[in-house]
Amino acid sequence: MSLALIVLLPFIGALFPALMMRAGRNACATSTFSFSLLAFTLLLSHAPAVFRGEVVTASWDWLPALGLSASFFLDGLGFFFAGLILGIGLLIIVYARFYLAKDDPMGSFYSYLLLFQGAMVGIVLSDNVLLLLVFWELTSLSSFLLIGYWKHLPEGRQGARMALTVTGAGGLAMIAGMLILGDIAGSYNLTDILRQKEAIQASPLYLPALLLILAGCFTKSAQFPFHFWLPHAMAAPTPVSAYLHSATMVKAGIFLLARMWPVLAGTTEWFYIVATIGLVTMLLGAVIALFKDDLKGLLAYSTVSHLGLVTMLLGFGTPLAAVAAVFHILNHATFKAALFMNAGIVDHEAGTRDIQRLGGLLHLMPLTATLAMVAAASMAGLPPLNGFLSKEMMLHEAVDTAWLGQAWLVPALATLAACFSVAYSFRYIVHVFFGPPRSDCPHTPHDPPAGMWLPPALLVVLVVLIGLFPDTMAGPLVAIVSRAVTGGELMDYHLALWHGFTPALALSGIALVVGLTALHYYPRLRALWQAGPHPEAKAMFDAAIGGALALAQRLTHGLHNGSLQRYLAFAIGAMAVAGFIAFAGAPHEAGTRTLLPAQPVAVVAWALLLGGCVLTVVFFRKRLLSVLVVGTVGLIVCLAFIYLSAPDLALTQISVEVTTVILILLALYFLPKESPISSTVRADPLRHLRDGVLALVAGVGMAGVSWAMMTRDGNSLSSYYLENSVGGGGGTNVVNVILVDFRGFDTFGEIIVLGIAALTIYALLDGALHGRVARRLSAWTPDLPVSVDRHPIIMVVATRVMLPLALLVGAYIFLRGHNQPGGGFIAALVVSIALIMQYMASGFGWAAKRVRVKYHAMIGAGVLVAAATGIAAMVLDRPFLTSAFTHVHLPLVGEFELASAMAFDTGVFLTVVGAVMLALANLSRMGRWTGQRPVNKMAMDVDPSAPAAKEYR
């Protein structure tokens, strides 16, 4: 349970910052910090077990047949990444409190941050691949909110869209790859997949799965050629940049490479794809970083380079390279988060982060400068700092790696990237903090308050301590994480500052000398850089998106011209072709069931149905007549259900038919009574022939399918439902038990859809009451004469008498539904019809004053009641919406059954009544805009007691 709580706490906490903002900025930050701290504390409580080599698991089955379960597991790798996410997250929360301006909405910022944090923790702790994919996409969505936090900045919106597009597209590819991998392994749990190395690598689907998964990893971790989105994400506030680059978003792809290392690594394909992409990214990012003038831009491309370094190490596929990768992930998180926060301090206090406008800040900001120099020296790989150790390990592995038989290529390129790393790291130090002080800064630079320098200072302390005492400070952690990455396979190694004179040390010395030399000749190098070609990734991305948008618009406008008939023609035609292909591709035999003789009643009903269809086709332009004919067809179908001993279906059919016919008739009031002949029909006289052929093909096809089903024996769930209706659901009405128990989840989804549809109708019609449409409505007059007596006394009296009877019938149908024909849906329609008749008899204004119910709230209450019924079953450790029932004996009443399904049926009842009445309410609102007489205040238009039958006004 605690693993799930670690994941859920940030999501729960995301609800509080916006509320706590009213209590002040400190309260807002404190509530955010508290939830992250609690999650971090729970994580640390599992540290003893993890360091003993145990794997902590937790799982809740949802749909086990489909491999869907909420499964989490905590091993060394998950513990490591979750610790980075939560630990650095705590520092970012403190830093952001003092970084954000008073005008920045801090509540929404912290809510977005916690959503992102929860998604990241979910990724690293998920065992079920499908659950991991959900969290993976949540990181893309929540990072979109964070990167675009400053909505007033065009570059912020552009960066957010770019990040979402690139990482979202990669996520879609990764979904396919993970599904293939799960299919190969026969399980969607990572703990099972990670034990299937031989089966996975021997499968012919290994390469497609590998490419798709790598696409997701490379896009998320900004590897070439998808590296361009990350620098544009720098438009986000600096706390976001520090969090994304050090411990979270970009590390998600690295995490997945490490997680899948035991089953995907070790092949030629893995080496040449992963190691090559990582090496290219490491070199390209380092080169570009040297020539960036924006502090955050420089750090962003340095992040791209260091992510390439880790990717390359994982691509080597050796256990010691995996150890080096793990160690550098830790080191990079410490110095890079410190550097980003440091860049934010410079921007916050000096008013700019343009290196060309900065200089000499050592004397003005000595504390900030000291922290920056230590962290940047670690990024450059200088001893005795932690970055030096992992860089040495990287160069050692590069020396032992050959690429296409060339033993010199990988170490040469890795050393060249290290040279540029030294150059841009020292440029950050020298060009910002040394030299004469500049006088053109927007603000007078000075050191920040403690809330801004303490978080990076803590990280810088770790940078030094890990560098001086690596085996003590990081050795045990690196060991358990590396064993989790390699699947337990680990060679002897020792983390130490000094390993003697080695080739890696020589390459480090070369990188230091060449890097400092490059910085000395920086103006010449910059001139050469500016003189050369610079393909702009953003322009290429914008051109690609623009081309895709233009193509989509052409296709959309070509296929979607607004004609419903055309859409139906495509859909029915496609289904007919698919059905014909299926029919032609299989052998056929005659049915084995004995045919029954057609009864005269059935023949008459069939003839009436056929006649109704013909009349609908002939008189389809006369809308009122068409509605009446279609309603008649529905009533005949109702009689057919009764004839076939399906009273539940008959009750449902007649209730739905009456309700929909009434609502359609009310809507027809605002429409022409005859459909106009469209210009398309005039221009294409063969259109009716096309529609007729499609209708005939579809009708014959459905008749053939029905015939085939009814004349052949086959397995069905009917017998299961019949046998278990009483024992499993506690009801003798099998139809109702199916709806509220066996298939209760389907019903729950259907009432949600019904509620959404009603709210959509409300939104559409509410929009029609404003602007140009409202003016047209107010000027609209009926195309037929309107009765003077809109609310006749006969109808008023009849509906008043019918109302209590209808409500009583509705209650009776509702209460008997579990054991006799009826239920919440039918009862809701009966009650809705009774209420509609009151509105029709006396007008909406008069009835609304007496039925003071908020139909929006009724829909919401219905869904909540239904959901609460299902959740109650889960609380009692039963599947969602499992029914419970018992028999109760009361004096006078006798024995009766009490089932939890009644609560679910209550939710159905409330939702259906709310949806129907909300649609009626909006049609009535439209009616009041059409220039009618004022809304009546009395039940009738004419006072029957007055001598002259005075008309009410």
Side-chain angles (χ1 to χ4, degrees), residues 227-228 231 285-286 288-289 292 296-306:
H227 62 283
F228 56 88
I288 299 175
K292 285 294 177 182
K296 287 175 66 175
L298 184 154
L299 294 176
Y301 276 104
S302 74
T303 297
V304 170
S305 179
H306 283 270

Side-chain angles (χ1 to χ4, degrees), residues 628-643:
L628 295 178
V629 172
V630 171
T632 304
V633 170
L635 294 178
I636 296 172
V637 172
C638 173
L639 294 174
F641 286 142
I642 295 174
Y643 177 76

Side-chain angles (χ1 to χ4, degrees), residues 445-579:
H446 57 84
D447 277 322
M452 290 186 70
W453 66 259
L454 269 176
L458 291 175
L459 293 170
V460 168
V461 170
L462 286 177
V463 165
V464 176
L465 290 178
I466 294 174
L468 293 174
F469 313 104
D471 205 42
T472 302
M473 295 297 298
L477 179 63
V478 171
I480 63 164
V481 177
S482 300
R483 288 192 180 92
V485 172
T486 61
E489 178 186 355
L490 206 60
M491 299 173 61
D492 290 335
Y493 69 92
H494 182 61
L495 297 180
L497 185 60
W498 176 252
H499 286 281
F501 293 99
T502 62
L505 182 62
L507 294 177
S508 288
I510 294 172
L512 179 61
V513 173
V514 174
L516 291 175
T517 303
L519 183 64
H520 179 73
Y521 292 102
Y522 179 77
R524 298 183 184 181
L525 290 175
R526 186 180 181 88
L528 291 174
W529 172 261
Q530 291 176 340
H534 297 94
E536 179 57 45
K538 180 179 181 298
M540 298 168 64
F541 173 81
D542 290 340
I545 294 297
L549 181 61
L551 177 61
Q553 287 176 339
R554 285 196 295 270
L555 290 174
T556 301
H557 294 158
L559 296 175
H560 297 269
N561 61 351
S563 171
L564 180 60
Q565 289 87 346
R566 185 174 187 175
Y567 303 156
L568 289 174
F570 275 114
I572 294 173
M575 288 186 284
V577 170

Side-chain angles (χ1 to χ4, degrees), residues 420-439:
F420 281 99
S421 178
V422 171
Y424 67 66
S425 298
F426 274 93
R427 184 177 179 229
Y428 187 97
I429 296 172
V430 174
H431 289 188
V432 175
F433 297 101
F434 287 88
R438 302 288 294 270
S439 59

